[in-house]
Amino acid sequence: MSFRARSIAISAAMLLTAALAYAIAPTRQVSAGSVALERMIPKRFGEWVEQDATVEQVSPQIDGQIGESGSRADRPLYDQVLMRTYRRQSDGEMVMLALAYGRRQAQEFKIHRPELCYYSQGYDVRFVGRSRVLLGPRFGVDSNLLLARNRARYEPVTYWIRVGDRISLSAWETRWLIFKDGISGSVPDGILVRASSVIQTDAESASAFKVQKIFFADLYNSLSAAARTAIAGG
């Protein structure tokens, strides 16, 4: 093949690659305003009532302007963050709720997993396991359980991440869901759903995890259909 022919073939291949990349680039995304956490999440439900925080919650972001690759981004990582503390009136149990929502999830610019957030803010973090959170008689989500510790306290954590209409429990799974939606032409949204409690000893963690499950079920059953989908898919 002559030099001219090779040049034409290479140019054609480059044009075809660019055309294919453009054709499969995801364009459909969740409309702005379809998720409004402040409005969707009640301040009082069942036995739970919002109250002023007695301890500072761990932020769900390491740095709001930095993606996982470490490069500085031109947009915030989250479109909305909601952090509240609730008290159960019957016995005084406290649960801290953190929701972090991003309308556009991408491979290097997606929700930070709590393991990273706690570690970056001075905690030792131990993975406890996975557990099913029953939100209704016929519906539940799988969650990750962590036990974080710093010099002042222990903090049991139950969390899951929704990407599109699926629940992700690992970084690899999140990447796969973003890739799969991208191939179909969609840019998925995502939300971190996290509950945590403050305890004094490791031995109290099992009880705290049970309370967090009850909290999530009570919260879910107080929500509208749209809010339920926003936090747990379906």
Side-chain angles (χ1 to χ4, degrees):
M1 181 182 293
S2 67
F3 175 78
R4 177 180 175 79
R6 285 198 302 270
S7 298
I8 292 174
I10 292 171
S11 298
M14 292 175 65
L15 288 172
L16 178 60
T17 299
L20 287 172
Y22 178 81
I24 66 173
T27 55
R28 298 191 305 273
Q29 58 184 310
V30 175
S31 60
S34 60
V35 174
L37 297 179
E38 188 67 38
R39 172 176 53 82
M40 288 178 158
I41 307 301
K43 296 184 177 182
R44 177 190 292 265
F45 56 91
E47 292 190 85
W48 301 93
V49 179
E50 184 192 15
Q51 76 158 44
D52 292 338
T54 56
V55 297
E56 184 179 0
Q57 281 206 57
V58 171
S59 172
Q61 48 195 354
I62 299 171
D63 183 324
Q65 290 294 113
I66 295 179
E68 284 195 357
S69 65
S71 60
R72 187 160 294 275
D74 60 357
R75 61 185 174 90
L77 182 61
Y78 301 121
D79 296 293
Q80 300 173 55
V81 174
L82 178 71
M83 301 175 73
R84 291 181 185 163
T85 299
Y86 289 87
R87 178 181 180 274
R88 188 162 63 183
Q89 293 178 296
S90 61
D91 58 8
E93 286 282 358
M94 307 279 287
V95 173
M96 297 181 290
L97 174 68
L99 304 175
Y101 175 76
R103 192 164 65 92
R104 297 173 58 199
Q105 298 297 296
Q107 291 296 348
E108 299 303 327
F109 198 76
K110 56 186 179 293
I111 290 172
H112 284 146
R113 311 191 74 78
E115 292 92 328
L116 300 176
C117 301
Y118 275 83
Y119 181 79
S120 72
Q121 293 171 59
Y123 284 77
D124 293 324
V125 182
R126 175 163 61 89
F127 177 70
V128 176
R130 290 182 175 174
S131 182
R132 186 77 171 170
V133 178
L134 295 177
L135 300 174
R138 299 181 180 180
F139 180 69
V141 297
D142 292 325
S143 67
N144 283 330
L145 306 182
L146 309 176
L147 183 60
R149 179 186 181 184
N150 65 9
R151 293 182 179 180
R153 71 198 197 207
Y154 288 87
E155 197 165 320
V157 179
T158 301
Y159 84 88
W160 65 83
I161 294 174
R162 174 186 64 76
V163 178
D165 60 357
R166 302 288 297 277
I167 301 300
S168 167
L169 295 180
S170 71
W172 182 91
E173 192 171 7
T174 296
R175 287 184 178 277
W176 169 247
L177 293 173
I178 293 172
F179 173 77
K180 188 172 66 171
D181 280 1
I183 289 297
S184 69
S186 298
V187 180
D189 67 342
I191 187 170
L192 165 68
V193 181
R194 187 188 84 193
S196 60
S197 312
V198 175
I199 59 176
Q200 299 304 311
T201 67
D202 190 340
E204 301 172 66
S205 61
S207 175
F209 287 131
K210 290 179 182 178
V211 171
Q212 290 167 11
K213 284 186 176 184
I214 293 170
F215 171 83
F216 274 134
D218 290 346
L219 173 62
Y220 184 83
N221 286 300
S222 74
L223 299 178
S224 66
R228 291 180 178 185
T229 300
I231 69 167

